Amino acid sequence: MRIRAARLSDAGAIAKVHVDSWRTTYKNIFPDEFLENLSYQSREELWISIIPQGIVFVAENDEGQIVGFSSGGKERSGDYKEYQGELSSIYILKEFQGQGIGKALVKSVIKELGKSGMNTMLVFVLADNNSTLFYEAMGGKVIDKIEVEIAGKKLYELVYGWDTIDTLNGQE
């Protein structure tokens, strides 16, 4: 497995992982119709706009296929002034989960946040998502719970925070 900075030419492959991951990760959270209507093309357009200006990493398998990605940057909501950075997304194809790829992708974002002078971070995670255990195992602490509406459904997001990303950088 190889982790590297994303290139603009990766946008289509990232979009495929993004949509396919949503369809497996959120299967019992969002209506099937909503998940079926997710578009590779609209996600590709989104990533074409994000990659040049953001922190985006991809995970490639031994055949060079992109099987996961992560992105981050400055904290976007403005509601958590004590947290400078944000892990804005991380998705890994279901068959590649549980192999340490997620941790490597998070650490790549953290390293870039650190280079930008950011030493705290947060991430927003749907409370019904099993990945909450991943963030807890990486030392994230729940600092807030907010209500959101996605696909016409009211859900809760947990906000995990890290008071220092230095400890994450050193994790093996």
Side-chain angles (χ1 to χ4, degrees):
M1 198 59 58
R2 187 177 98 138
I3 308 293
R4 63 167 175 80
R7 300 184 284 262
L8 204 51
S9 59
D10 296 326
I14 292 171
K16 182 161 178 22
V17 170
H18 200 170
V19 169
D20 292 350
S21 294
W22 264 66
R23 288 178 177 157
T24 56
T25 302
Y26 303 129
K27 183 160 184 47
N28 298 315
I29 299 173
F30 294 119
D32 289 344
E33 183 181 356
F34 171 78
L35 294 173
E36 289 163 14
N37 287 328
L38 292 173
S39 157
Y40 293 125
Q41 183 178 343
S42 66
R43 293 293 165 152
E44 182 174 0
E45 291 167 8
L46 172 74
W47 287 104
I48 286 171
S49 68
I50 292 173
I51 291 168
Q53 60 195 18
I55 298 171
V56 185
F57 288 91
V58 296
E60 292 179 325
N61 66 10
D62 294 338
E63 290 78 45
Q65 173 195 8
I66 292 175
V67 299
F69 69 90
S70 61
S71 65
K74 190 174 184 292
E75 193 277 321
R76 298 175 292 175
S77 74
D79 295 334
Y80 305 94
K81 303 274 187 252
E82 61 276 24
Y83 294 92
Q84 303 158 318
E86 179 177 346
L87 176 66
S88 46
S89 65
I90 178 168
Y91 290 100
I92 301 161
L93 294 175
K94 188 176 181 74
E95 59 270 28
F96 292 93
Q97 293 176 7
Q99 300 176 23
I101 299 168
K103 193 176 214 180
L105 285 167
V106 170
K107 287 177 76 171
S108 296
V109 169
I110 286 168
K111 195 173 283 188
E112 288 303 307
L113 292 176
K115 287 180 187 174
S116 300
M118 296 180 223
N119 61 8
T120 58
M121 179 181 83
L122 53 72
V123 63
F124 294 80
V125 185
L126 286 175
D128 294 338
N129 185 340
N130 290 335
S131 68
T132 55
L133 301 173
F134 169 77
Y135 298 109
E136 289 166 14
M138 291 201 64
K141 304 284 183 242
V142 176
I143 59 167
D144 203 1
K145 181 178 182 178
I146 58 174
E147 188 176 73
V148 294
E149 188 172 323
I150 303 171
K153 191 173 178 184
K154 285 193 189 310
L155 298 163
Y156 287 97
E157 279 186 326
L158 298 175
V159 184
Y160 284 89
W162 286 264
D163 293 334
T164 176
I165 58 175
D166 294 340
T167 55
L168 281 167
N169 245 339
Q171 276 191 5
E172 289 311 315

